[in-house]
DNA sequence: TATCAACACGAAACCGTTTTCGTAAACTTA
DNA sequence: TAAGTTTACGAAAACGGTTTCGTGTTGATA
């Protein structure tokens, strides 16, 4: 019952021709006579012959696989990036091996080592927070030294020479804060993570820039730093909103913003009249929260598409040109109910 | 500068021994003398030799890759399942190639065909809605006929003999509705998708069963069917809630539930006093909505783990035993603010 | 009829491993 | 010292393809 995979050798033996003849016949080579080709092709079709990808990979030194390493899969932004990557990769005939580093340096390194030995033609990745904290990029450098193409997106480092795709986080934050100021807000808070994450830092910079431009003094106690990205446990946010007479909040992610809005509502604030909210990452929560959240869209899918295009271009370019590009996407502010829209 | 990949052949040539000697020395074979082994191992280490995975795959007829095909990546449930799969796969030394069918039959077929020719050792998948609609499973049957291990999860079919992992959707719906009835609700609505999806059907059955048990007549106009999973456009929901004097709603997904709650609030209903809501898929929206949503947790991560374990067990079992298991997980109802919790 | 090109195919190398088997050289043993 | 046993290594096949090159047969040409 079990139809085992058939190979060129089987066909050759059955039809009493050589393996090379079979191979050529199946590629419709001019070298082979019509009769022979038809016979071989018919036989191959009948037995559902399909060339073995592994053998082809070995011969061609090309796997048509690319690796994607992201810090977290249960996170809307990375998910959309992956979707963009997968779309382009499929269009160009590549499969995608997806690894999740879970924000761990070791997992990132291990995944790279396993896949860098012929399993994939190139890597697309976003750095784990632990890697950015350790500031150790030797695993990436080894990769590029071996001539394996690498594209970094969103969480990047300037210590590795490779193609990069990122969004202008600083400008996104700058424009958000500017908008809040123009809406008449005075005490604008920033809710961020610890700033070893490159993106968190950029966003803080944009916040500072906007305040400076409008001659508003930076107050340290208007900046709340929460430990981990998804944990909103504890009452830090509540104390913060209660004590600081904040009238607008920029959050570096959706969760913080949604959580902040709930607490503000509980404290009796009206959104957006008394307090406005803007959050990074225009994910699913922003669209469905109550009120809906004005968000800085990071265009994840587009980032994914560009990353994949850059990587595949490098993979398929003959010459090992050592020139690297950095694409910077402009974020878009999606206005919703959590801000006054003038 | 560019350190090209080094092979056994290079080492052999450089050290003037044979390739077989190098191979054995690196595996610490007893056949090779201490001196030679040390010399070869030192050289290999110095030049950072790593065996080529593709060559090993070809030799062993085992790729240590598994394919995961899911209908949608930007969907919390599938994302958590993937996370579970990836976790187990990594523990057992497998990489995961992730393909997204985008609910398309053709993409599902194409992805399978590409990967079924040696690229992976087995498949884990959840059927696309189009496939369930067409009711065509020949691509899956071909796979199993070739002896390639396959595990189906969540959206399965009984037309293909293979391992399966699913949650008891019917019971989840049944218990939800029972709870609503016990909370004193009389006019309980069901908001579902078109029922060619196996899971949607199961959930509807559970709804019917609970009503029947409590001698409540099924009213067709208490059942709202919306076209696509993520589109909540249009005012179908609003008309429905306004006209039908509904006092409880079971939704087959989060989005419908969140959307329903917003409209109910807009219409002046108090949740949960006037109207209660329960939604399937305990995702991120349920936790952060306002009010938070009582949800039927599907234990996606657990499903992923079980699927991966089943698949790898099949892959690594010598004998082609043709016995298949079906694991059924019990859902858990997570009570939150959208229901009265007695 | 000798020469030559075109045709149709096969042999063999190659991709990078693993593994079986064969065998010189060194060492034991009787 | 002849015979047998280790020891330490190499040759070669195998995995499943692709591709280059060589060659016997045919038919055309001079």
């Amino acid at each position: 019952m079990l139809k085992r995979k058939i190979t060129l050798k089987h066909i050759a033996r059955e039809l009493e021709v050589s393996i090379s003849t079979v191979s050529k016949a199946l590629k419709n080579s001019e070298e082979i006579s019509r009769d022979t080709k038809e016979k071989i092709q018919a036989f191959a079709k009948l037995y559902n012959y399909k060339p073995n990808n592994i053998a082809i990979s070995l011969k061609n030194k090309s796997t048509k696989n690319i690796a994607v390493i992201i810090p977290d899969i249960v996170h809307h932004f990375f998910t959309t990036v992956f979707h963009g990557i997968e779309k382009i990769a499929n269009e160009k005939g590549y499969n995608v091996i997806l690894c999740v580093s879970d924000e761990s340096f070791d997992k990132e390194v291990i995944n790279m080592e396993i896949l860098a030995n012929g399993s994939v033609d190139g890597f697309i990745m976003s750095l784990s927070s632990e890697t950015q904290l350790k500031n150790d990029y030797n695993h990436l450098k080894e990769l590029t030294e071996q001539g394996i193409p690498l594209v970094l997106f969103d969480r990047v480092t300037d210590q590795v020479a490779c193609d990069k795709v990122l969004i202008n986080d600083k400008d996104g934050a700058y424009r958000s804060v500017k908008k809040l100021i123009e809406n008449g807000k005075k005490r604008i808070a920033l809710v961020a993570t610890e700033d070893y994450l490159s993106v968190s830092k950029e966003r803080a910079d944009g916040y500072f820039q906007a305040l400076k431009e409008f001659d508003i003094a930076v107050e340290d106690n208007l900046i709340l730093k929460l430990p981990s990205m998804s944990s909103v446990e504890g009452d830090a946010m509540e104390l913060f909103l209660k004590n600081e007479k904040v009238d607008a909040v920029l959050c570096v992610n959706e969760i913080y913003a949604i959580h902040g809005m709930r607490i503000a509502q509980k404290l009796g604030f009206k959104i957006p009249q008394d307090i406005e909210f803007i959050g990074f990452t225009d994910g699913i929560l922003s669209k469905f929260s109550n009120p809906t959240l004005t968000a800085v869209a990071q265009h994840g899918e587009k980032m994914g598409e560009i990353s994949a295009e850059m990587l595949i271009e490098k993979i398929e370019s003959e010459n090992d040109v050592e020139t690297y590009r950095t694409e910077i996407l402009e974020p878009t502010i999606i206005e919703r109910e959590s801000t006054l829209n003038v």
Side-chain angles (χ1 to χ4, degrees), chain A:
Chain A
M1 188 60 64
L2 227 139
K3 289 194 281 178
R4 271 279 157 226
K5 277 264 156 245
I6 188 174
T7 69
L8 289 187
K9 194 194 279 189
H10 294 133
I11 302 183
R13 194 182 301 151
E14 209 64 31
L15 264 42
E16 294 181 309
V17 291
S18 76
I19 293 178
S20 17
T21 301
V22 178
S23 175
K24 289 170 191 165
L26 293 177
K27 314 202 99 172
N28 239 320
S29 161
E30 292 299 324
E31 275 185 73
I32 309 298
S33 70
R34 274 178 65 82
D35 280 7
T36 314
K37 276 200 282 195
E38 278 171 8
K39 191 176 60 176
I40 292 176
Q41 286 170 4
F43 188 93
K45 184 155 198 177
L46 180 63
Y47 285 93
N48 194 30
Y49 168 80
K50 294 280 164 53
N52 180 309
N53 287 329
I54 298 293
I56 293 177
S57 290
L58 181 58
K59 186 91 238 278
N60 295 352
K61 291 163 166 286
S62 140
T63 62
K64 289 284 180 179
N65 287 157
I66 64 183
V68 173
I69 305 181
I70 57 180
D72 183 1
I73 174 78
V74 193
H75 187 308
H76 188 264
F77 171 66
F78 290 120
T79 281
T80 55
V81 175
F82 178 83
H83 197 234
I85 293 173
E86 213 250 356
K87 183 182 146 205
I88 298 297
N90 273 17
E91 278 173 15
K92 309 220 171 189
Y94 286 77
N95 301 305
V96 183
I97 295 184
L98 177 59
C99 300
V100 181
S101 66
D102 271 328
E103 304 287 9
S104 144
F105 175 80
D106 290 342
K107 280 187 114 183
E108 194 175 294
V109 173
I110 287 175
N111 278 321
M112 295 207 73
E113 281 183 355
I114 290 175
L115 295 173
N117 304 115
S119 298
V120 299
D121 299 339
F123 286 81
I124 296 177
M125 62 182 294
S126 190
L127 297 168
S128 78
S129 57
E130 214 187 334
T131 304
Q132 292 204 310
L133 183 58
K134 280 186 89 155
N135 208 28
D136 179 348
Y137 306 107
N138 284 310
H139 51 308
L140 302 188
K141 289 173 187 161
E142 276 181 28
L143 209 68
T144 53
E145 276 170 16
Q146 287 175 35
I148 300 177
L150 166 68
V151 175
L152 287 178
F153 74 88
D154 194 53
R155 299 207 203 149
V156 308
T157 172
D158 49 17
Q159 294 190 38
V160 178
C162 65
D163 287 333
K164 288 158 199 167
V165 185
L166 30 90
I167 68 149
N168 197 335
D169 278 291
K170 183 175 171 182
D171 190 53
Y174 166 78
R175 280 157 50 207
S176 300
V177 174
K178 188 173 171 198
K179 175 182 167 57
L180 295 170
I181 296 171
E182 289 170 350
N183 282 357
K185 303 298 173 178
K186 305 287 182 201
R187 295 184 58 77
I188 300 170
L190 173 68
V191 180
T193 55
E194 300 298 336
D195 50 17
Y196 48 81
L197 274 185
S198 54
V199 292
S200 220
K201 195 175 191 139
E202 288 290 316
R203 291 170 195 174
D205 283 352
Y207 168 81
F208 294 136
Q209 189 193 323
L211 293 185
K212 195 170 166 194
E213 189 174 314
F214 287 85
D215 286 323
I216 300 178
V218 171
E219 285 186 48
D220 279 352
N221 43 1
L222 283 185
I223 298 177
L224 176 63
K225 285 193 181 162
L226 298 176
S228 143
M229 216 164 121
S230 44
S231 95
V232 286
E233 275 81 53
D235 48 6
M237 181 82 84
E238 182 158 356
L239 289 172
F240 182 73
L241 292 178
K242 202 184 293 184
N243 297 337
E244 300 300 341
K245 296 196 193 130
V246 165
D247 61 10
V249 187
L250 173 64
C251 299
V252 298
N253 64 51
E254 271 189 327
I255 309 258
Y256 290 175
I258 303 298
H259 185 235
M261 290 204 297
R262 289 211 70 177
I263 288 177
Q265 288 172 320
K266 204 177 106 189
L267 293 174
F269 291 101
K270 288 250 172 306
I271 303 172
Q273 295 81 0
D274 303 336
I275 185 168
E276 297 189 35
F277 279 86
I278 298 184
F280 263 83
T281 304
D282 177 44
I284 198 163
L285 285 173
S286 305
K287 292 182 198 65
F288 288 98
S289 65
N290 190 4
T292 54
L293 178 68
T294 293
V296 183
Q298 305 188 86
H299 307 303
E301 187 149 349
K302 188 79 193 165
M303 283 187 84
E305 291 171 14
I306 295 178
S307 302
E309 276 163 2
M310 281 175 130
L311 184 73
I312 292 173
E313 193 183 332
K314 269 281 186 315
I315 290 174
E316 296 183 348
S317 79
E318 306 291 310
N319 38 10
D320 291 342
V321 277
E322 282 217 19
T323 69
Y324 302 111
R325 284 159 50 202
T326 295
E327 284 268 353
I328 300 177
L329 275 63
E330 280 304 316
T332 307
I333 298 179
I334 314 280
E335 305 201 359
R336 298 208 181 83
E337 298 165 357
S338 68
T339 52
L340 292 163
N341 299 314
V342 281

